């Protein structure tokens, strides 16, 4: 039997945070031994908000290096840039005729981003989930490992796949989100009920994967905690719970084990321990990323071979789609 297909992507917009790492990339690494994995750099999604072109280009390569530094093995997984495979845009156009304006305008992320970028509510911003559905469906992916904030988008991809299959006959595999506990929603260090985000205006709210040791420790020292002094995870203590989640994710331990470890200790000592743990985990990734970025030709080769592999799979699906919908493709 064919291996299950896994698809996921990250946008090269802004510096990645430990949320992106724990919610997505780290889980991708674990999947690549058992499944057929496609991991993309979603530069076409990134331009739905304004990007500085030179920065977008630089970040694309930095993200490729980061994927590998985090443990993505380009021999096992297809690692590529979304815009290198033209079928993404082509399938998106077909799916646009299956997707409804009403459902897209109700997407939480569209509403949030429209508020945040009120001067630039472009068509792409609204079409974002359709392009994401095209990404996933092109590869007939069964499973999409993402953070909790992307669940709604994967559900729309499912809806579009089912709707298309009903209209034109069995064409797409219906995908499912894979949201692993623990790292699924890493929250802001300054407003711990909000998710940690690359685009937060307050740099103390997010730990970036590029932050050096001192910065990581300083940001954790300043992290907002809650009233009381007990170090336990609970709904009443979103700040402490978030720090415990981060600690457990990096230490690979359970919340109970961490609570026991910090029993009777103060917030100061706790925050320092979280900061040191995260800094220890990030430094080898940073070193490896820097090494990889020193050899741009090697990275270019990897992205090319990843795109070739993705192209072959994408072309197969798109040709099937064109046949189903009645696009003449020659005799
Ligand atoms: P992006 O770049 O916004 O996020 C990339 C991944 O990081 C996860 N994530 C988080 N997880 C836990 N806690 C957080 N604070 C946190 N912040 C972000 C996101 O859930 C995501 O998994 N639209 C996608 C990119 C994309 C995609 C796709 C994903 C494009 N095409 C196809 C899956 C399948 C996105 O959110 O990117």
């Amino acid at each position: 039997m064919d291996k299950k297909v896994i698809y996921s992507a990250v946008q090269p917009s802004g510096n990645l945070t430990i949320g992106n790492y724990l919610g997505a990339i780290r889980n991708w690494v674990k999947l690549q031994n058992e499944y057929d994995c496609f991991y993309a750099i979603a530069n076409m999604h990134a331009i739905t908000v304004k990007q500085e072109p030179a920065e977008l280009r630089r970040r694309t390569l930095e993200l490729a290096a980061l994927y590998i530094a985090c443990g993505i093995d380009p021999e096992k997984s297809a690692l590529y840039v979304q815009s290198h495979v033209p079928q993404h845009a082509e399938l998106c156009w077909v799916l646009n005729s299956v997707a409804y304006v009403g459902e897209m305008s109700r997407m939480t992320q569209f509403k949030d981003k429209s508020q945040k970028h009120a001067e630039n509510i472009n068509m792409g911003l609204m079409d974002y989930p359709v392009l994401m559905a095209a990404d996933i469906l092109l590869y007939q992916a069964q499973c999409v490992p993402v953070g909790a904030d992307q669940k709604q988008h994967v559900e729309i991809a499912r809806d579009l796949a089912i709707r298309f299959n009903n209209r034109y006959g069995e064409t797409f595999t219906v995908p499912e989100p894979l949201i692993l506990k623990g790292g699924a929603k890493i929250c802001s260090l300054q407003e711990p009920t909000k998710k940690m985000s690359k685009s937060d205006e307050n740099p103390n709210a997010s730990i970036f994967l590029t932050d050096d040791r001192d910065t990581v420790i300083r940001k954790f020292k300043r992290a907002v905690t809650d009233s009381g002094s007990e170090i336990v995870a609970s709904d009443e203590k979103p700040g402490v719970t978030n720090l415990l989640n981060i600690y457990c994710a990096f230490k690979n331990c359970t919340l109970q084990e961490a609570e026991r470890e910090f029993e009777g200790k103060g917030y100061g000592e706790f925050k320092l321990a979280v900061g040191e743990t995260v800094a220890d985990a990030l430094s080898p990734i940073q070193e490896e990323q820097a090494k990889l970025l020193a050899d741009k030709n090697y990275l270019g080769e990897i992205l090319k071979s990843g795109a070739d592999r993705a192209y072959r799979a994408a072309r197969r699906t798109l040709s099937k789609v064109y046949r189903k919908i009645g696009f003449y493709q020659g005799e």
Side-chain angles (χ1 to χ4, degrees):
M1 221 183 80
D2 280 349
K3 277 192 199 170
K4 255 194 186 177
V5 178
I6 306 278
Y7 189 93
S8 202
V10 172
Q11 302 177 78
S13 55
N15 281 329
L16 264 61
T17 71
I18 54 170
N20 300 121
Y21 177 67
L22 297 176
I25 303 174
R26 192 173 74 142
N27 300 326
W28 302 357
V29 175
K30 300 178 193 155
L31 295 163
Q32 58 183 349
N33 288 328
E34 275 180 71
Y35 304 107
D36 214 358
C37 301
F38 292 86
Y39 296 132
I41 296 171
N43 58 347
M44 292 164 68
H45 279 100
I47 59 165
T48 57
V49 304
K50 279 191 191 128
Q51 302 291 337
E52 171 57 43
E55 229 171 78
L56 180 63
R57 204 171 295 122
R58 176 175 56 76
R59 288 210 160 108
T60 300
L61 217 55
E62 284 174 2
L63 186 51
L66 188 70
Y67 280 2
I68 302 169
C70 288
I72 302 298
D73 179 348
E75 297 280 321
K76 291 183 186 150
S77 305
L79 192 174
Y80 73 99
V81 180
Q82 187 184 28
S83 65
H84 290 177
V85 180
Q87 286 86 352
H88 289 255
E90 293 177 273
L91 181 58
C92 179
W93 183 253
V94 173
L95 293 178
N96 274 338
S97 300
V98 178
Y100 298 121
V101 171
E103 62 191 347
M104 293 306 145
S105 65
R106 285 193 294 275
M107 292 283 105
T108 308
Q109 196 179 77
F110 172 67
K111 289 194 276 187
D112 288 351
K113 285 193 178 172
S114 299
Q115 240 177 17
K116 216 167 146 196
H117 304 276
E119 75 310 332
N120 182 25
I121 307 177
N122 59 73
M123 294 296 290
L125 200 58
M126 195 175 188
D127 211 22
Y128 185 110
V130 182
L131 178 59
M132 196 165 142
D135 296 348
I136 298 166
L137 303 185
L138 261 185
Y139 300 93
Q140 307 286 2
Q142 271 106 339
C143 189
V144 185
V146 284
D149 64 315
Q150 291 301 310
K151 184 164 180 253
Q152 196 179 40
H153 288 162
V154 182
E155 279 164 358
I156 269 288
R158 283 176 64 84
D159 292 348
L160 295 180
I162 293 169
R163 199 176 301 157
F164 188 101
N165 288 348
N166 285 339
R167 204 174 285 178
Y168 297 105
E170 225 27 62
T171 309
F172 295 122
T173 302
V174 180
E176 281 189 38
L178 174 67
I179 297 168
L180 296 181
K181 267 206 194 140
K185 189 181 177 200
I186 300 299
C187 292
S188 154
L189 299 188
Q190 294 299 317
E191 287 173 78
T193 50
K194 240 179 63 182
K195 81 160 188 174
M196 184 182 284
S197 160
K198 294 180 199 139
S199 54
D200 203 308
E201 273 150 27
N202 181 352
N204 288 321
S206 309
I207 302 289
F208 299 110
L209 297 181
T210 46
D211 281 345
D212 62 29
R213 185 174 192 85
D214 290 348
T215 309
V216 171
I217 290 175
R218 177 171 45 78
K219 286 184 183 177
F220 276 110
K221 268 191 193 153
R222 289 193 190 161
V224 170
T225 37
D226 314 282
S227 54
S229 60
E230 255 191 317
I231 298 167
V232 287
S234 76
D235 290 346
E236 291 76 51
K237 291 194 157 217
V240 170
T241 305
N242 187 39
L243 296 181
L244 278 169
N245 271 332
I246 295 171
Y247 183 77
C248 293
F250 280 106
K251 276 269 179 194
N252 282 316
C253 68
T254 64
L255 280 171
Q256 288 75 13
E257 283 165 346
E259 286 171 350
R260 222 172 301 130
E261 185 180 339
F262 293 110
E263 212 179 310
K265 300 208 168 126
Y267 281 163
E269 195 176 337
F270 169 52
K271 290 202 262 185
L272 180 63
V274 182
E276 284 178 336
T277 300
V278 175
D280 286 347
L282 296 188
S283 76
I285 296 176
Q286 292 166 353
E287 275 171 35
E288 190 56 29
Q289 188 196 21
K291 259 192 241 161
L292 288 158
L293 281 169
D295 191 351
K296 303 240 172 12
N297 287 338
Y298 169 70
L299 286 176
E301 286 298 315
I302 284 175
L303 291 176
K304 181 164 186 322
S305 90
D308 287 347
R309 196 163 140 197
Y311 181 87
R312 284 193 296 276
R315 199 178 47 180
R316 217 175 305 130
T317 303
L318 192 70
S319 157
K320 185 170 171 191
V321 167
Y322 280 180
R323 194 172 66 245
K324 296 271 187 182
I325 61 174
F327 278 8
Y328 178 71
Q329 298 181 86
E331 295 304 326

